[in-house]
């Protein structure tokens, strides 16, 4: 195969990726993506990241979304651009890395390997269950890691005489690895692992290369810190990126080995349906190719190992984290085909490649027979993003000019699709409820709401409802029973406001608080028997909980319309008295509360019901 034909194949692979992204252009967007879009939009309007707009991600994702908005405007086109460009850059990086397995004179094999890598990447780069077709932070990490890896590999292939050329390649490698850490700091682990593997396995032991890459990363982050210091926002930057993330991370110290084992647990690997064929091929490549190309394979294994540790450090096993494995596994598969060809025959390698392609196509092709809305439902079966999009587009019809809404939860798509700027800078409710900054963020959020009270509050019943902000909402807003509730959201109107007068209870007796009798204890479960079936908006608990090892989970269960239902929560430990509000929104005769495994430490001081006197006020 000639270089020209290989380049034509590269263009065709890019067109395949473009077609795949166009197919899912109309997919309802996940809430993290719309959060990034909202924050970057607000930054372009002059609001300050971390100081006014809170999130605990490094600045990279917000800067990137802002640049895409400047090019394509605010809305889905910008997010489409953000999802397409990194996938295309990763294609180029992997195409180049595959070719670098061969020497310059081995042109035939070089271009075959490059094309095989391009074809595989074009098929797996938009994997549905790994959420790889959308512009989350992992997509950008994969892109810049692949570019950093390719430049380092290219520098390693240069002779010692080509010092100037090698230095340029090393600098670019360090720059791209630094860019990867700009989206998540733990991405720096890949740079460290790969650089160390490069030194250990290289004949010349180029320790200077590690120093160069490390210095570039250090300079890069000193520049970031220097910027926030210069603009007077260093404290806000540090609190979000260091203080908050140090508590948010789920693994550190002695529990890291357990987290590493959990990372590769089969239950967490299940969404990687495309991975078995790639993994088996990569494993074969290590077995048959290590002797001849030890340097290349050790660097690739370091990339894979760093990915495992990176996910483990997060202590969370979200499906989109696992897309980080795709680039090294695709590259490992192609390198394995080369090892099979050299160990056995070209025919064996070709047959293996066809089998891998069939396995990948078997997983990927059926996804493109599904409508884009189904992609969102298959990724997040517990979150109905199509309904969120539809409701967001309808909200401007409910509100008059000058009126706005606030959403308690994580449904940031409501603002995005309604084209409304969020009235507060703390957009995710859990930031004001959990973590080391919750008190400060609660004060900030409450101050924003008091200074500019929204006409409408949308409360996600699946989210925790405790703390100073929910308490203020309950005091200043009332349910809108005449307005049909949508998508597990409760609609609350400002007391005395336009919506409350239109959709509130009017002359019907108002909803009211009623004290609950002391519950009975049955099999370590607190049980309330109500005198008659009553429609409950919710139940308010005042409780105490001694310090357990972990914040305990609990659940409130009931029966309604022949179905068993429950509302779960995570209680706060180590406090003498705390309040918690459970949303129910059902006709109830019996309530059952179980505070998980901390029953002996749980103390219920009192409970009261938020009831409607006229039964279920809203058609479901």
């Amino acid at each position: 195969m000639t270089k020209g034909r290989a380049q034509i194949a590269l263009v065709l692979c890019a067109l395949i990726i473009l077609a795949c992204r166009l197919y899912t252009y109309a997919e309802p967007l996940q809430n993290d993506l719309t959060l990034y879009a909202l924050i970057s939009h607000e930054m372009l309007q002059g609001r300050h990241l971390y100081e006014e707009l809170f999130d605990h991600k490094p600045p990279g994702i917000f800067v990137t979304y802002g640049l895409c908005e400047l090019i394509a405007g605010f809305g889905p086109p910008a997010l489409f651009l953000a999802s397409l460009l990194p996938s295309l850059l990763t294609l180029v990086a992997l195409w180049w890395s595959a070719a670098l397995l061969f020497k310059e004179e081995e042109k035939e094999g070089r271009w075959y390997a490059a094309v095989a890598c391009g074809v595989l990447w074009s098929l797996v780069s938009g994997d549905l269950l790994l959420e790889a077709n959308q512009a989350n932070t992992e997509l950008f990490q994969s892109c810049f890691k692949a570019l950093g890896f390719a430049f380092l590999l290219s520098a390693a292939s240069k002779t010692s005489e080509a010092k100037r050329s090698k230095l340029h390649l090393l600098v670019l490698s360090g720059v791209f690895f630094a860019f990867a850490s700009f989206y998540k700091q733990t991405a720096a682990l890949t740079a460290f692992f790969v650089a160390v593997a490069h030194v250990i396995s290289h004949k010349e032991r180029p320790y200077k290369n590690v120093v160069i890459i490390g210095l570039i990363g250090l300079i890069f982050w000193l520049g970031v810190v220097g910027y926030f210091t210069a603009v007077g926002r260093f404290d806000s930057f540090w609190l979000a990126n260091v203080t908050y993330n140090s508590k948010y991370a789920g693994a550190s110290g002695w529990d890291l080995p357990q987290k590493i084992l959990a990372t590769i647990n089969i239950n967490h690997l299940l969404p990687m349906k495309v991975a078995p064929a790639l993994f088996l091929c990569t494993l074969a490549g290590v077995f048959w190719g290590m002797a001849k190309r030890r340097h290349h394979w050790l660097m690739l294994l370091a990339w894979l190992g760093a990915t495992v540790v990176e996910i483990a450090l997060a202590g969370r096993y979200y499906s989109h984290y696992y897309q980080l494995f795709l680039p090294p596994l695709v590259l490992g598969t192609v390198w394995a085909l080369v090892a099979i060809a050299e160990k056995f025959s070209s025919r064996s390698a070709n047959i293996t490649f066809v089998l891998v392609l069939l396995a990948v196509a078997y997983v990927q092709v059926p996804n493109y027979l599904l409508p884009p809305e189904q992609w969102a439902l298959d990724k997040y079966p517990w979150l109905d993003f199509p309904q969120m999009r539809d409701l967001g587009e309808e909200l401007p019809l409910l509100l008059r000019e000058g009126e706005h809404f606030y959403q308690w939860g994580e449904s940031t798509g409501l603002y995005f699709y309604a084209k409304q700027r969020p009235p507060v800078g703390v957009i995710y409710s859990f930031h004001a409820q959990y973590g080391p900054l919750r008190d400060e963020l609660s004060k900030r959020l409450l101050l924003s709401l008091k200074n500019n009270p929204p006409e409408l509050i949308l409360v996600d019943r699946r989210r925790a409802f405790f703390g100073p902000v929910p308490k203020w909402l309950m005091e200043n807003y009332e349910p809108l029973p005449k307005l049909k509730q949508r998508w597990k959201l409760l609609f609350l109107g400002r007391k005395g406001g336009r919506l409350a007068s239109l959709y509130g209870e009017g002359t019907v007796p108002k909803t009211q608080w009623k004290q609950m009798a002391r519950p009975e204890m049955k099999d370590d479960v607190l049980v309330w028997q109500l005198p008659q079936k009553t429609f409950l908006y919710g139940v308010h608990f005042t409780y105490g909980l001694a310090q357990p090892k972990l914040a305990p989970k609990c659940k409130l269960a009931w029966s309604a319309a022949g179905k068993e239902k429950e509302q779960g929560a995570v209680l706060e430990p180590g406090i003498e008295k705390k309040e918690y509000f459970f949303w129910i929104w059902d006709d109830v005769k019996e309530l059952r509360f179980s505070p998980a495994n901390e029953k002996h430490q749980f103390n219920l001081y009192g409970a009261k019901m938020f009831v409607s006197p006229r039964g279920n006020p809203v058609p479901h």
Side-chain angles (χ1 to χ4, degrees):
M1 180 179 288
T2 63
K3 183 178 181 180
R5 289 182 178 178
Q7 290 173 337
I8 292 172
L10 178 66
V11 173
L12 291 175
C13 290
L15 290 174
I16 292 173
I17 293 174
L18 173 61
C20 292
R21 297 299 178 276
L22 285 171
Y23 185 82
T24 58
Y25 179 86
E27 179 187 343
L29 297 168
Q30 187 244 19
N31 52 352
D32 280 345
L33 309 181
T34 47
L35 174 69
Y36 304 149
L38 289 168
I39 290 179
S40 63
H41 181 69
E42 291 300 302
M43 288 168 61
L44 292 174
Q45 304 303 313
R47 298 177 76 180
H48 295 145
L49 182 62
Y50 304 129
E51 188 173 72
E52 296 174 276
L53 302 162
F54 183 81
D55 194 68
H56 57 100
K57 299 284 194 309
I61 192 68
F62 309 110
V63 173
T64 303
Y65 269 60
L67 291 174
C68 290
E69 181 179 337
L70 291 174
I71 296 170
F74 178 71
L79 273 71
F80 171 77
L81 187 64
S83 69
L84 176 64
L85 293 181
S87 296
L88 295 178
L89 285 173
T90 307
L91 169 67
V92 173
L94 294 177
W95 189 82
W96 183 23
S97 296
L100 286 171
L101 193 66
F102 295 87
K103 297 177 181 178
E104 287 288 344
E105 59 271 16
E106 300 174 301
K107 294 182 179 179
E108 187 75 11
R110 167 181 283 251
W111 302 124
Y112 269 120
V115 170
C117 200
V119 170
L120 274 178
W121 177 250
S122 65
L123 291 177
V124 306
S125 64
D127 188 86
L128 186 157
L129 293 181
L130 298 182
E131 308 168 27
N133 68 314
Q134 293 187 323
N136 220 320
T137 56
E138 286 69 27
L139 183 65
F140 298 98
Q141 289 180 70
S142 292
C143 169
F144 290 118
K145 286 177 183 179
L147 287 168
F149 186 88
F151 276 102
L152 181 58
L153 203 61
S154 182
S157 66
K158 297 289 183 182
T159 60
S160 57
E161 288 78 18
K163 290 183 179 180
R164 186 173 181 180
S165 174
K166 183 181 291 189
L167 179 61
H168 289 167
L169 293 169
L170 285 171
V171 169
L172 287 171
S173 175
V175 167
F176 285 121
F177 278 130
F179 280 168
S181 69
F182 201 35
Y183 296 86
K184 270 191 182 177
Q185 297 93 329
T186 52
L189 284 171
T190 299
F192 176 74
F193 277 45
V194 170
V196 169
H198 162 62
V199 170
I200 291 173
S201 58
H202 201 280
K203 295 178 182 178
E204 299 175 4
R205 296 289 191 272
Y207 295 104
K208 290 182 180 178
N209 294 358
V210 179
V211 175
I212 291 171
I213 291 173
L215 280 175
I216 291 171
L218 180 61
I219 292 169
F220 181 89
W221 274 100
L222 284 175
V224 172
V225 172
Y227 166 77
F228 282 99
T229 303
V231 297
R233 302 204 304 272
F234 171 78
D235 288 344
S236 300
F237 168 81
W238 186 267
L239 286 171
N241 285 273
V242 179
T243 304
Y244 188 95
N245 282 333
S246 64
K247 299 294 183 182
Y248 180 82
S252 59
W254 296 108
D255 64 345
L256 182 57
Q258 294 179 341
K259 297 294 183 180
I260 289 175
L261 291 175
T263 300
I264 56 178
N265 183 289
I266 186 63
N267 292 324
H268 296 141
L269 295 174
L270 283 177
M272 296 184 65
K273 292 185 177 180
V274 75
L278 303 179
F279 175 76
L280 290 174
C281 253
T282 301
L283 194 62
V286 173
F287 185 74
W288 286 314
M290 181 70 78
K292 185 174 180 180
R293 294 185 174 87
R294 180 170 173 266
H295 178 249
H296 292 75
W297 280 106
L298 283 179
M299 287 178 64
L300 185 72
L301 289 174
W303 188 356
L304 286 167
T307 302
V308 174
V309 177
E310 183 179 342
I311 296 174
L313 281 172
R316 290 161 175 80
Y317 310 102
Y318 302 131
S319 297
H320 59 273
Y321 286 7
Y322 285 82
Q323 66 179 268
L324 294 171
F325 284 107
L326 290 178
L329 284 178
V330 166
L331 185 58
T333 298
V334 173
W335 284 0
L337 295 174
V338 174
I340 290 171
E342 292 173 344
K343 178 70 175 178
F344 301 101
S345 65
S346 296
R347 184 184 178 191
S348 300
N350 291 335
I351 292 173
T352 305
F353 181 54
V354 170
L355 292 175
V356 171
L357 277 182
L358 289 174
V360 169
Y362 177 77
V363 174
Q364 298 296 337
V365 171
N367 296 334
Y368 292 93
L369 303 177
L370 302 173
E373 287 77 10
Q374 191 61 44
W375 278 56
L377 294 173
D378 285 355
K379 290 176 185 177
Y380 324 99
W382 62 97
L383 296 171
D384 197 339
F385 289 129
Q387 280 202 45
M388 180 188 70
R389 178 194 59 190
D390 296 343
L391 177 57
E393 292 172 348
E394 293 173 13
L395 281 173
L397 302 175
L398 181 64
L399 298 168
R400 288 181 177 175
E401 186 176 353
E403 295 178 343
H404 59 281
F405 71 89
Y406 166 68
Q407 198 275 315
W408 177 266
E410 286 78 58
S411 303
T412 54
L414 293 172
Y415 300 114
F416 182 84
Y417 290 112
K419 294 183 172 58
Q420 179 186 289
R421 296 176 63 180
V424 297
V426 184
I427 303 175
Y428 270 173
S429 63
F430 71 78
H431 287 148
Q433 292 187 296
Y434 303 105
L437 306 182
R438 62 184 176 182
D439 293 337
E440 177 185 333
L441 295 177
S442 288
K443 290 177 183 177
R444 189 192 304 182
L445 175 54
L446 194 54
L447 182 62
S448 298
L449 292 172
K450 286 180 177 179
N451 289 339
N452 189 18
E455 180 67 19
L456 175 67
I457 300 291
L458 300 171
V459 175
D460 191 331
R461 283 187 281 161
R462 298 161 300 181
R463 299 296 179 239
F465 204 70
F466 65 88
V469 176
K471 185 177 181 181
W472 182 83
L473 294 178
M474 293 296 292
E475 292 170 350
N476 294 275
Y477 287 79
E478 62 180 89
L480 303 178
K482 296 178 184 177
L483 191 65
K484 184 177 180 179
Q485 310 302 293
R486 294 278 301 279
W487 189 60
K488 299 187 182 296
L489 295 175
L490 299 178
F491 288 59
L492 305 177
R494 182 172 54 85
K495 289 182 178 179
R498 184 181 65 86
L499 292 180
S501 64
L502 286 174
Y503 303 105
E505 294 173 321
T507 58
V508 177
K510 297 289 186 182
T511 51
Q512 54 189 289
W513 289 102
K514 287 188 175 180
Q515 289 295 135
M516 299 174 68
R518 291 197 63 82
E520 299 178 20
M521 180 69 75
K522 295 181 180 179
D523 298 326
D524 292 328
V525 175
L526 298 175
V527 180
W528 286 269
Q529 293 287 347
L530 305 185
Q532 60 187 18
K533 186 175 287 188
T534 306
F535 184 83
L536 299 186
Y537 282 99
V539 173
H540 179 277
F541 285 165
T542 303
Y543 72 91
L545 184 60
Q547 182 71 55
K549 293 181 180 179
L550 296 172
K553 294 180 180 180
C554 67
K555 66 179 181 180
L556 189 67
W558 64 94
S559 300
K563 295 181 180 179
E564 288 295 319
K565 301 183 180 182
E566 66 179 46
Q567 178 71 272
V570 178
L571 299 179
E572 184 180 6
I575 45 88
E576 293 183 5
K577 256 188 185 180
K578 190 74 176 180
E579 297 179 346
Y580 197 98
F581 188 89
F582 289 89
W583 289 108
I584 296 179
W585 205 263
D586 250 325
D587 286 304
V588 175
K589 183 70 169 62
E590 180 185 86
L591 283 172
R592 303 177 298 277
F593 177 74
S594 174
N597 295 322
E598 306 292 341
K599 303 178 184 67
H600 59 287
Q601 301 186 61
F602 182 82
N603 185 13
L604 183 65
Y605 293 108
K608 54 185 178 179
M609 305 177 291
F610 193 41
V611 304
S612 171
R614 60 176 179 145
N616 187 350
V618 178
H620 288 271

